[in-house]
Amino acid sequence: MTQPVFYQYFSSKKAIYDELVELFAKRLRAAVEQATIPDDTPVDQVDERVRTSVQGLLATLQDNPSLTKIGFQQSANADALKNELVDLIAAKIKGEQQAGLLRRDVSPFWLSQAFMGILERYALLEQSAADTRDLAVFIADLLMDGIRVPGSRPAVGGTARRAGP
């Protein structure tokens, strides 16, 4: 593209930069919108839906690593975008809690903050597309199940017994 043609579409280099950042933001918003778990999802399919949603968000970040770093870390609007995404994700989690798909005793705000932290760290790292599915499974399982040994959760006010040797 020649310089005169470039300036037919964009008034300046900053204008194209802003356009790219907004394109990145739109893609992330769309990925969050697609991450909704429908209210009628059978309980036994929730984990897989969450894994697929996480994979979609990771894929969006991985589509263009340079743009991801600009839009997620270097842009003047990066913090505002991440805060907006936290709010969108928290609203989705709250709706899924109300539908009985997720625990109601978990703060949607803090869960979405934790997830955004994971996404932000992911954006900093060099990742292979081949790893995306395995990483999505790991992240979804971590957020859904935590790191506690299965069956070791204490009763309210009780003490946990350590499972295994």
Side-chain angles (χ1 to χ4, degrees), residues 64-79:
N64 187 330
S66 296
L67 183 56
T68 294
K69 286 183 181 175
I70 291 169
F72 222 44
Q73 296 152 359
Q74 299 169 359
S75 163
N77 297 329
D79 286 338

Side-chain angles (χ1 to χ4, degrees), residues 45-119:
Q45 293 177 14
V46 170
D47 285 1
E48 187 56 34
R49 283 295 306 226
V50 171
R51 291 178 187 130
T52 301
S53 296
V54 170
Q55 185 176 6
L57 284 161
L58 294 179
T60 300
L61 294 175
Q62 194 170 46
D63 279 347
N64 187 330
S66 296
L67 183 56
T68 294
K69 286 183 181 175
I70 291 169
F72 222 44
Q73 296 152 359
Q74 299 169 359
S75 163
N77 297 329
D79 286 338
L81 173 61
K82 288 181 275 191
N83 289 335
E84 177 188 351
L85 294 171
V86 163
D87 291 343
L88 288 171
I89 293 167
K92 301 253 179 243
I93 291 168
K94 186 173 183 176
E96 291 156 359
Q97 287 173 322
Q98 291 170 343
L101 298 172
L102 300 175
R103 287 176 36 188
R104 290 180 183 216
D105 62 328
V106 174
S107 164
F109 174 78
W110 286 113
L111 180 57
S112 62
Q113 287 284 354
F115 183 56
M116 186 55 56
I118 290 170
L119 292 178

Side-chain angles (χ1 to χ4, degrees), residues 4 9 13 20 44 51 55 79 94 106 118 134 137 142 154 164:
Y9 293 99
K13 290 178 186 177
L20 287 170
D44 64 336
R51 291 178 187 130
Q55 185 176 6
D79 286 338
K94 186 173 183 176
V106 174
I118 290 170
D134 290 340
V137 168
L142 176 65

